[in-house]
Amino acid sequence: MGENKLPDFSVVRLSGMQAIKEAKKLDDKAFEGHQKISLNELRSIADQGGLFGIIYKQKMVAEAQLLFRSTGFYNLEYESSAYCYGIAVDEKFRGKGLAHLLIARMEKEVRNNSLKTLYLACRPENYASLKLWNSLEYKVCAYKDRYFGPDTIADTRLLLYKNISGKSTRSSLHITSLPLKNDECDIDLRNNIANLLAKHSEIIIRIKSADKRLVYEIYKTQ
């Protein structure tokens, strides 16, 4: 057996205050500098059966939050949908496919609950997250200014979704390319995406590298 062989990770449903506290600690570290989730919010998610984690050597190394119903802190946007409230992976375990495992589990839960779509919110400049979700065939369906609060810079989000109940067969057509100039807040990028979503019901964002900078390749579905 090779010494560098990766362990077999598995996703478990989390419950109990100790597990909730561990999930919060991991989430707080992953989203440092952004609005933090509260223990009450995590408890509400766990009560719905939507808190999942990956444990390695008795330590939580990844967690994900899935909402099946509206709560006091978040109202679901769409019927027959579930909302991915967040995913966090310990920095030492990134790049090992743990986020993919958590997303696969959430998609399974969506199907098991007879729901049609899974959707999430993402900062327009979060190219790493956009790249991940695009690789799993998630499409951008809305631009939401001040989605999580009053700050138009910190609280603006893109909504992405995937039809879990059936495989999409629609082709895509490239319509434009948008350079990412500022990964904290790129006003030009945001305005262009907002304008595109005003014209098209959904778009696909693929992240490319060109001339030592990142470019958002924008496609529309046909």
Side-chain angles (χ1 to χ4, degrees):
M1 299 292 289
E3 292 183 0
N4 295 324
K5 185 179 183 298
L6 293 176
D8 293 326
F9 295 106
S10 59
V11 180
V12 297
R13 196 186 309 272
L14 301 175
S15 63
M17 185 51 64
Q18 183 59 38
I20 293 172
K21 288 181 178 179
E22 289 182 26
K24 175 171 170 51
K25 183 178 179 180
L26 180 58
D27 197 83
D28 286 350
K29 187 173 182 179
F31 291 97
E32 191 173 3
H34 299 277
Q35 183 176 356
K36 296 179 179 180
I37 193 168
S38 70
L39 278 175
N40 285 336
E41 289 169 342
L42 277 173
R43 186 185 296 115
S44 178
I45 294 170
D47 287 345
Q48 292 189 17
L51 188 60
F52 303 96
I54 296 176
I55 312 298
Y56 177 65
K57 292 185 177 180
Q58 300 183 324
K59 177 185 177 183
M60 190 177 300
V61 296
E63 57 91 20
Q65 307 142 23
L66 182 64
L67 280 174
F68 300 104
R69 302 182 300 278
S70 295
T71 67
F73 59 88
Y74 186 84
N75 291 318
L76 292 180
E77 293 268 350
Y78 308 106
E79 293 183 1
S80 299
S81 67
Y83 176 67
C84 172
Y85 200 71
I87 294 176
V89 179
D90 188 305
E91 59 184 357
K92 295 179 181 178
F93 288 82
R94 291 172 188 169
K96 301 183 185 299
L98 272 64
H100 286 80
L101 286 175
L102 289 166
I103 294 169
R105 175 60 181 268
M106 288 190 289
E107 291 182 352
K108 179 181 179 181
E109 293 289 331
V110 170
R111 287 190 291 270
N112 289 346
N113 282 271
S114 300
L115 300 173
K116 294 181 179 179
T117 60
L118 175 61
Y119 78 101
L120 63 133
C122 178
R123 282 196 315 113
E125 296 83 6
N126 190 346
Y127 55 86
S129 182
L130 287 170
K131 188 174 182 179
L132 166 66
W133 291 102
N134 173 69
S135 72
L136 298 171
E137 300 183 345
Y138 283 75
K139 302 177 180 67
V140 180
C141 59
Y143 181 93
K144 297 286 187 177
D145 189 27
R146 303 180 182 90
Y147 193 58
F148 283 122
D151 191 327
T152 189
I153 294 177
D155 297 321
T156 293
R157 296 291 187 273
L158 300 176
L159 297 189
L160 294 86
Y161 87 103
K162 180 179 179 180
N163 183 357
I164 306 300
S165 61
K167 188 172 179 60
S168 174
T169 58
R170 288 186 290 178
S171 60
S172 60
L173 176 67
H174 179 258
I175 52 177
T176 191
S177 300
L178 304 173
L180 176 63
K181 301 173 184 176
N182 185 331
D183 61 7
E184 289 296 326
C185 180
D186 192 324
I187 298 299
D188 288 341
L189 177 74
R190 291 183 177 203
N191 288 338
N192 281 317
I193 291 176
N195 290 334
L196 287 167
L197 285 167
K199 298 177 182 178
H200 308 287
S201 60
E202 62 184 28
I203 61 174
I204 299 169
I205 296 179
R206 295 172 182 158
I207 311 298
K208 305 290 185 181
S209 296
D211 298 326
K212 298 182 179 180
R213 65 179 178 179
L214 293 174
V215 176
Y216 283 34
E217 297 284 348
I218 310 296
Y219 296 76
K220 68 175 182 178
T221 53
Q222 300 185 98

